Amino acid sequence: DANEYLKNDDMANLVADVYWNAVPVKDFGIAGSGSIYDEIIKTVKTESIALPNFLSDLKPVFKGGIPLQEIILLAAASSIGKSAIVNQIMLDWIMTSVHKVLILSFEDTMGTLGAKIASKVSGHNILAMETTEEKLEVLEKYKPEIDKYLYTEDGEHRFNVIERIPESIDDLKEAIIQSIRLYNSKILIIDPISSLFSDKTNEEQASFMKFLETVKNKYGCTILMSTHTRKGSSGQKDKGEGASFGEDEIRGSSVLVGVSTIVMLLSRDKMASDPIERNTTKISVSKNRTYSITARDIAKIYYSPQHHTLFSYNYAEANGFFLDTSAEELKEILDNTKAAKLVTNETDEMEVLSEF
């Protein structure tokens, strides 16, 4: 109490105690109930993340889109095509969401990620072309449209990538926080998180998931992750041949499913003789904390190998699965270059989070 120093004529110790021996006050985030209504208004005014068109069958489940502050887990057996689905969600959100995207890919380099963007824009599978000359010709032709994915109208970077993913979990946490604080990243995509966890202890895995939960709540971020399922036991139908499965079949299910607010299970019969069935993926929603709607095989999506593109199954069926549609014709149907204006950075300060 400063009055005690004055009454005791102890100004020397007052200065020393205030400036040199000050004890920091901890902020435990205790708020009065009267502030809740304003927070409700702020929350409902925050724009949700729209579902990509190829996931339009999920609109009855997710109403007005995916809100911020969700942790979404996509799970599938090996080689089902979950990365293709994650990539198309990512490419759609890069252009249509007002929130900035941060990408952690364990399967793509900057170059292969860029090639996938170019493939979506051009309608040609760039990496599948036979000659370098063909690839360069397509890249040059579509460069102005590719740039729309890479830059905003103001010339700023449209999204961020952690190009060299740190081996240390602690360093990775710092990199994510840096992107959130400096670049206002609000959507974090990790593909697949099972690669991150492959050489980590159970304690490290639990620590990282707790970190993501804190990032979701403290910074209002939405996190999209993909992961693999466990291999089936002898005698079971192979998940790679369309077998249904539950959350208990997800690799690392206890920590991943426990923290996730939305869980989607993907299944496809990659050995089917019919090419339409072979390229059709079924989606089940087994957990949906915000909207409380779950269902088995609630949506189907179709992958066109010819166009390197995913479609809502019903839309693809109505258009003959685009079997007789050229890349140029498809490009006229689908405009991939209309971009939303990103929310500007809300803070320029870097914060060190001691709790991590």
Side-chain angles (χ1 to χ4, degrees):
D1 184 351
N3 290 320
E4 291 297 320
Y5 289 94
L6 292 172
K7 285 190 290 185
N8 296 328
D9 194 24
D10 195 11
M11 296 302 295
N13 282 328
L14 171 62
V15 173
D17 288 346
V18 169
Y19 288 99
W20 304 112
N21 302 321
V23 178
V25 177
K26 289 185 177 180
D27 180 4
F28 293 99
I30 300 172
S33 58
S35 61
I36 289 179
Y37 187 80
D38 289 340
E39 290 301 313
I40 296 173
I41 298 299
K42 181 181 177 181
T43 298
V44 299
K45 282 186 173 181
T46 301
E47 187 170 331
S48 294
I49 308 165
L51 288 169
N53 287 334
F54 79 96
L55 293 177
S56 58
D57 288 351
L58 291 175
K59 286 183 178 179
V61 179
F62 297 114
K63 309 293 183 180
I66 306 291
L68 290 181
Q69 293 188 295
E70 300 281 357
I71 297 181
I72 308 163
L73 179 65
L74 301 184
S78 178
S79 302
I80 289 302
K82 62 185 170 300
S83 287
I85 294 170
V86 170
N87 285 333
Q88 191 147 328
I89 293 173
M90 173 191 70
L91 295 176
D92 185 274
W93 285 353
I94 284 171
M95 295 299 285
T96 64
S97 177
V98 299
H99 307 295
K100 199 162 193 174
V101 176
L102 172 65
I103 300 167
L104 287 82
S105 177
F106 290 86
E107 298 187 347
D108 276 314
T109 63
M110 292 279 279
T112 57
L113 176 63
K116 289 174 180 178
I117 293 174
S119 296
K120 179 174 174 60
V121 170
S122 67
H124 297 275
N125 189 344
I126 303 291
L127 296 179
M129 290 181 166
E130 291 187 10
T131 67
T132 301
E133 288 74 17
E134 287 179 294
K135 298 172 185 177
L136 292 175
E137 183 180 350
V138 171
L139 289 173
E140 185 65 28
K141 179 178 180 180
Y142 291 98
K143 188 178 185 306
E145 294 174 56
I146 294 170
D147 281 345
K148 291 180 182 179
Y149 272 84
L150 307 181
Y151 301 100
T152 67
E153 293 178 356
D154 301 325
E156 301 291 329
H157 296 298
R158 184 166 290 282
F159 61 94
N160 292 105
V161 180
I162 298 183
E163 183 180 7
R164 295 182 298 277
I165 299 177
E167 292 186 10
S168 161
I169 287 287
D170 288 338
D171 287 346
L172 179 56
K173 291 176 182 178
E174 287 190 27
I176 291 171
I177 292 299
Q178 185 179 75
S179 184
I180 292 170
R181 295 291 296 172
L182 294 184
Y183 305 111
N184 202 32
S185 300
K186 289 291 186 182
I187 301 173
L188 171 60
I189 297 177
I190 307 175
D191 180 40
I193 196 165
S194 46
S195 292
L196 172 63
F197 286 170
S198 61
D199 61 347
K200 301 297 184 290
T201 65
N202 291 338
E203 290 74 17
E204 287 176 314
Q205 294 178 34
S207 171
F208 187 73
M209 292 307 298
K210 180 63 178 176
F211 163 77
L212 291 183
E213 190 172 38
T214 303
V215 164
K216 169 182 77 77
N217 294 329
K218 182 167 186 174
Y219 293 103
C221 297
T222 281
I223 298 116
L224 172 64
M225 314 175 293
S226 71
T227 192
H228 299 98
T229 58
R230 298 188 181 98
K231 292 182 179 179
S233 59
S234 178
Q236 285 185 324
K237 183 178 180 181
D238 194 320
K239 298 183 191 71
E241 296 182 19
S244 297
F245 62 95
E247 293 175 352
D248 59 335
E249 293 293 314
I250 297 173
R251 199 180 295 175
S253 57
S254 59
V255 64
L256 288 175
V257 175
V259 172
S260 298
T261 58
I262 296 171
V263 178
M264 288 189 266
L265 313 176
L266 314 176
S267 60
R268 177 174 69 91
D269 187 353
K270 63 184 181 183
M271 302 303 290
S273 57
D274 178 59
I276 302 300
E277 181 182 358
R278 189 168 61 246
N279 288 295
T280 297
T281 300
K282 297 177 181 178
I283 303 177
S284 299
V285 179
S286 63
K287 185 176 183 180
N288 186 5
R289 187 174 293 170
T290 299
Y291 295 119
S292 303
I293 301 173
T294 57
R296 171 74 66 183
D297 298 339
I298 194 170
K300 291 197 298 184
I301 52 180
Y302 172 74
Y303 173 72
S304 170
Q306 176 186 353
H307 303 102
H308 200 54
T309 303
L310 289 159
F311 302 94
S312 159
Y313 183 89
N314 291 331
Y315 180 70
E317 185 179 39
N319 287 274
F321 297 100
F322 301 101
L323 296 177
D324 298 319
T325 305
S326 69
E328 296 300 327
E329 289 170 334
L330 183 66
K331 187 176 178 301
E332 292 181 6
I333 298 171
L334 306 176
D335 186 353
N336 297 317
T337 59
K338 291 181 179 178
K341 188 172 182 61
L342 291 173
V343 173
T344 55
N345 199 349
E346 297 172 351
T347 178
D348 294 318
E349 296 181 3
M350 181 62 186
E351 178 182 1
V352 178
L353 299 183
S354 59
E355 64 263 41
F356 302 134

mmCIF file of all heavy atoms in Angstrom, residues 98-115:
data_model
loop_
_atom_site.group_PDB
_atom_site.id
_atom_site.type_symbol
_atom_site.label_atom_id
_atom_site.label_comp_id
_atom_site.label_asym_id
_atom_site.label_seq_id
_atom_site.Cartn_x
_atom_site.Cartn_y
_atom_site.Cartn_z
ATOM 1 N N VAL A 98 -12.970 -15.521 -45.911
ATOM 2 C CA VAL A 98 -12.370 -14.235 -45.540
ATOM 3 C C VAL A 98 -11.249 -14.436 -44.531
ATOM 4 O O VAL A 98 -10.545 -13.483 -44.185
ATOM 5 C CB VAL A 98 -13.428 -13.282 -44.943
ATOM 6 C CG1 VAL A 98 -14.524 -13.004 -45.950
ATOM 7 C CG2 VAL A 98 -14.018 -13.847 -43.647
ATOM 8 N N HIS A 99 -11.077 -15.674 -44.055
ATOM 9 C CA HIS A 99 -10.071 -15.971 -43.038
ATOM 10 C C HIS A 99 -8.823 -16.566 -43.685
ATOM 11 O O HIS A 99 -8.907 -17.420 -44.574
ATOM 12 C CB HIS A 99 -10.639 -16.943 -42.005
ATOM 13 C CG HIS A 99 -11.936 -16.491 -41.412
ATOM 14 N ND1 HIS A 99 -12.032 -15.353 -40.638
ATOM 15 C CD2 HIS A 99 -13.196 -17.001 -41.501
ATOM 16 C CE1 HIS A 99 -13.295 -15.196 -40.258
ATOM 17 N NE2 HIS A 99 -14.018 -16.174 -40.764
ATOM 18 N N LYS A 100 -7.661 -16.147 -43.227
ATOM 19 C CA LYS A 100 -6.401 -16.580 -43.819
ATOM 20 C C LYS A 100 -6.063 -18.012 -43.419
ATOM 21 O O LYS A 100 -6.289 -18.430 -42.281
ATOM 22 C CB LYS A 100 -5.267 -15.645 -43.393
ATOM 23 C CG LYS A 100 -4.035 -15.733 -44.295
ATOM 24 C CD LYS A 100 -3.164 -14.511 -44.112
ATOM 25 C CE LYS A 100 -2.130 -14.416 -45.214
ATOM 26 N NZ LYS A 100 -1.358 -13.170 -45.149
ATOM 27 N N VAL A 101 -5.501 -18.752 -44.364
ATOM 28 C CA VAL A 101 -5.197 -20.171 -44.190
ATOM 29 C C VAL A 101 -3.700 -20.373 -43.928
ATOM 30 O O VAL A 101 -2.862 -19.733 -44.559
ATOM 31 C CB VAL A 101 -5.620 -20.976 -45.446
ATOM 32 C CG1 VAL A 101 -5.215 -22.444 -45.317
ATOM 33 C CG2 VAL A 101 -7.121 -20.858 -45.681
ATOM 34 N N LEU A 102 -3.387 -21.271 -42.988
ATOM 35 C CA LEU A 102 -2.015 -21.714 -42.731
ATOM 36 C C LEU A 102 -1.954 -23.207 -43.021
ATOM 37 O O LEU A 102 -2.769 -23.978 -42.513
ATOM 38 C CB LEU A 102 -1.615 -21.447 -41.285
ATOM 39 C CG LEU A 102 -0.270 -22.039 -40.829
ATOM 40 C CD1 LEU A 102 0.888 -21.398 -41.585
ATOM 41 C CD2 LEU A 102 -0.084 -21.889 -39.324
ATOM 42 N N ILE A 103 -0.974 -23.634 -43.825
ATOM 43 C CA ILE A 103 -0.897 -25.026 -44.277
ATOM 44 C C ILE A 103 0.340 -25.708 -43.717
ATOM 45 O O ILE A 103 1.456 -25.191 -43.821
ATOM 46 C CB ILE A 103 -0.864 -25.085 -45.823
ATOM 47 C CG1 ILE A 103 -2.132 -24.443 -46.405
ATOM 48 C CG2 ILE A 103 -0.719 -26.523 -46.307
ATOM 49 C CD1 ILE A 103 -2.047 -24.175 -47.894
ATOM 50 N N LEU A 104 0.121 -26.884 -43.116
ATOM 51 C CA LEU A 104 1.215 -27.776 -42.716
ATOM 52 C C LEU A 104 0.996 -29.087 -43.462
ATOM 53 O O LEU A 104 0.131 -29.883 -43.092
ATOM 54 C CB LEU A 104 1.199 -28.055 -41.210
ATOM 55 C CG LEU A 104 1.623 -26.963 -40.245
ATOM 56 C CD1 LEU A 104 0.455 -26.008 -39.994
ATOM 57 C CD2 LEU A 104 2.043 -27.582 -38.919
ATOM 58 N N SER A 105 1.737 -29.303 -44.516
ATOM 59 C CA SER A 105 1.573 -30.518 -45.311
ATOM 60 C C SER A 105 2.795 -31.406 -45.170
ATOM 61 O O SER A 105 3.926 -30.964 -45.406
ATOM 62 C CB SER A 105 1.352 -30.181 -46.787
ATOM 63 O OG SER A 105 1.270 -31.373 -47.551
ATOM 64 N N PHE A 106 2.534 -32.650 -44.781
ATOM 65 C CA PHE A 106 3.611 -33.629 -44.678
ATOM 66 C C PHE A 106 3.747 -34.431 -45.966
ATOM 67 O O PHE A 106 4.603 -35.307 -46.062
ATOM 68 C CB PHE A 106 3.359 -34.571 -43.495
ATOM 69 C CG PHE A 106 3.511 -33.899 -42.163
ATOM 70 C CD1 PHE A 106 2.447 -33.219 -41.586
ATOM 71 C CD2 PHE A 106 4.721 -33.921 -41.489
ATOM 72 C CE1 PHE A 106 2.577 -32.590 -40.363
ATOM 73 C CE2 PHE A 106 4.866 -33.294 -40.266
ATOM 74 C CZ PHE A 106 3.791 -32.626 -39.701
ATOM 75 N N GLU A 107 2.907 -34.139 -46.955
ATOM 76 C CA GLU A 107 2.918 -34.899 -48.205
ATOM 77 C C GLU A 107 3.246 -34.043 -49.409
ATOM 78 O O GLU A 107 3.467 -34.568 -50.497
ATOM 79 C CB GLU A 107 1.568 -35.610 -48.390
ATOM 80 C CG GLU A 107 1.276 -36.613 -47.270
ATOM 81 C CD GLU A 107 0.033 -37.439 -47.533
ATOM 82 O OE1 GLU A 107 -0.743 -37.071 -48.442
ATOM 83 O OE2 GLU A 107 -0.153 -38.458 -46.851
ATOM 84 N N ASP A 108 3.256 -32.717 -49.235
ATOM 85 C CA ASP A 108 3.527 -31.826 -50.358
ATOM 86 C C ASP A 108 4.687 -30.894 -50.047
ATOM 87 O O ASP A 108 4.832 -30.413 -48.922
ATOM 88 C CB ASP A 108 2.307 -30.965 -50.685
ATOM 89 C CG ASP A 108 1.316 -31.676 -51.580
ATOM 90 O OD1 ASP A 108 1.746 -32.279 -52.575
ATOM 91 O OD2 ASP A 108 0.107 -31.637 -51.273
ATOM 92 N N THR A 109 5.497 -30.643 -51.076
ATOM 93 C CA THR A 109 6.471 -29.560 -51.019
ATOM 94 C C THR A 109 5.773 -28.296 -51.517
ATOM 95 O O THR A 109 4.614 -28.340 -51.966
ATOM 96 C CB THR A 109 7.669 -29.867 -51.920
ATOM 97 O OG1 THR A 109 7.207 -29.940 -53.293
ATOM 98 C CG2 THR A 109 8.324 -31.192 -51.541
ATOM 99 N N MET A 110 6.456 -27.169 -51.451
ATOM 100 C CA MET A 110 5.894 -25.943 -52.016
ATOM 101 C C MET A 110 5.609 -26.129 -53.502
ATOM 102 O O MET A 110 4.611 -25.641 -54.030
ATOM 103 C CB MET A 110 6.860 -24.780 -51.805
ATOM 104 C CG MET A 110 7.024 -24.351 -50.358
ATOM 105 S SD MET A 110 5.705 -23.274 -49.790
ATOM 106 C CE MET A 110 6.259 -21.707 -50.459
ATOM 107 N N GLY A 111 6.507 -26.882 -54.176
ATOM 108 C CA GLY A 111 6.349 -27.091 -55.606
ATOM 109 C C GLY A 111 5.147 -27.951 -55.956
ATOM 110 O O GLY A 111 4.370 -27.618 -56.857
ATOM 111 N N THR A 112 4.966 -29.076 -55.243
ATOM 112 C CA THR A 112 3.825 -29.947 -55.557
ATOM 113 C C THR A 112 2.501 -29.306 -55.128
ATOM 114 O O THR A 112 1.476 -29.494 -55.781
ATOM 115 C CB THR A 112 3.976 -31.329 -54.895
ATOM 116 O OG1 THR A 112 4.112 -31.175 -53.471
ATOM 117 C CG2 THR A 112 5.192 -32.051 -55.439
ATOM 118 N N LEU A 113 2.532 -28.528 -54.040
ATOM 119 C CA LEU A 113 1.334 -27.792 -53.640
ATOM 120 C C LEU A 113 0.954 -26.787 -54.719
ATOM 121 O O LEU A 113 -0.217 -26.673 -55.109
ATOM 122 C CB LEU A 113 1.575 -27.073 -52.313
ATOM 123 C CG LEU A 113 0.440 -26.183 -51.805
ATOM 124 C CD1 LEU A 113 -0.810 -26.998 -51.514
ATOM 125 C CD2 LEU A 113 0.876 -25.425 -50.552
ATOM 126 N N GLY A 114 1.957 -26.080 -55.241
ATOM 127 C CA GLY A 114 1.703 -25.134 -56.323
ATOM 128 C C GLY A 114 1.185 -25.811 -57.575
ATOM 129 O O GLY A 114 0.307 -25.280 -58.276
ATOM 130 N N ALA A 115 1.694 -27.013 -57.864
ATOM 131 C CA ALA A 115 1.235 -27.752 -59.040
ATOM 132 C C ALA A 115 -0.237 -28.132 -58.902
ATOM 133 O O ALA A 115 -0.976 -28.149 -59.886
ATOM 134 C CB ALA A 115 2.090 -28.998 -59.238
#
